[in-house]
Amino acid sequence: MYDCQTDSCTDFSFAFFDAVGCARPLAGTLTATPATPDDAASLSDLSTYANGLGYRSDLAADSVIVHGISLADALALNARFAEQLIISCDLRRDPPVRFG
């Protein structure tokens, strides 16, 4: 990893697979809010779509939170709903990368 503030580089290591050989992908939480008040109906559409993909989502009047979403599905949701919704996503690996 490169640290631009100190102009230094740190090596890091992680395993691409868990103990039984399954890939450990990025996963996390996606949050969507309407781009304009007229776009609020798209929140329900995004929630329904995410539930159809097998994700749990929390729908509120002004946002949707999708839990445990993968990178590929987050990108697909963004491509499908980006014109109506402001989408942000926090993805991580479990366990996190160890810096050395």
Side-chain angles (χ1 to χ4, degrees), residues 45-57 73 77:
D45 295 340
L46 184 144
S47 180
T48 300
Y49 187 77
N51 290 339
L53 293 174
Y55 296 107
R56 182 175 66 86
S57 64
D73 287 338
L77 283 172

Side-chain angles (χ1 to χ4, degrees), residues 72-93:
D73 287 338
L75 292 172
L77 283 172
N78 185 60
R80 184 172 179 147
F81 294 99
E83 291 187 25
Q84 301 89 16
L85 302 173
I86 299 168
I87 296 175
S88 64
C89 198
D90 179 29
L91 301 174
R92 298 174 187 264
R93 289 178 59 115

Side-chain angles (χ1 to χ4, degrees), residues 3-92:
D3 181 354
C4 62
Q5 291 181 336
T6 62
D7 192 28
S8 64
C9 187
T10 304
D11 289 333
F12 61 94
S13 64
F14 59 90
F16 285 104
F17 299 95
D18 64 13
V20 293
C22 295
R24 295 185 332 205
L26 291 171
T29 304
L30 180 141
T31 303
T33 56
T36 68
D38 295 337
D39 294 325
S42 296
L43 293 173
S44 178
D45 295 340
L46 184 144
S47 180
T48 300
Y49 187 77
N51 290 339
L53 293 174
Y55 296 107
R56 182 175 66 86
S57 64
D58 298 326
L59 175 62
D62 62 347
S63 67
V64 171
I65 299 172
V66 180
H67 302 276
I69 195 163
S70 70
L71 173 60
D73 287 338
L75 292 172
L77 283 172
N78 185 60
R80 184 172 179 147
F81 294 99
E83 291 187 25
Q84 301 89 16
L85 302 173
I86 299 168
I87 296 175
S88 64
C89 198
D90 179 29
L91 301 174
R92 298 174 187 264

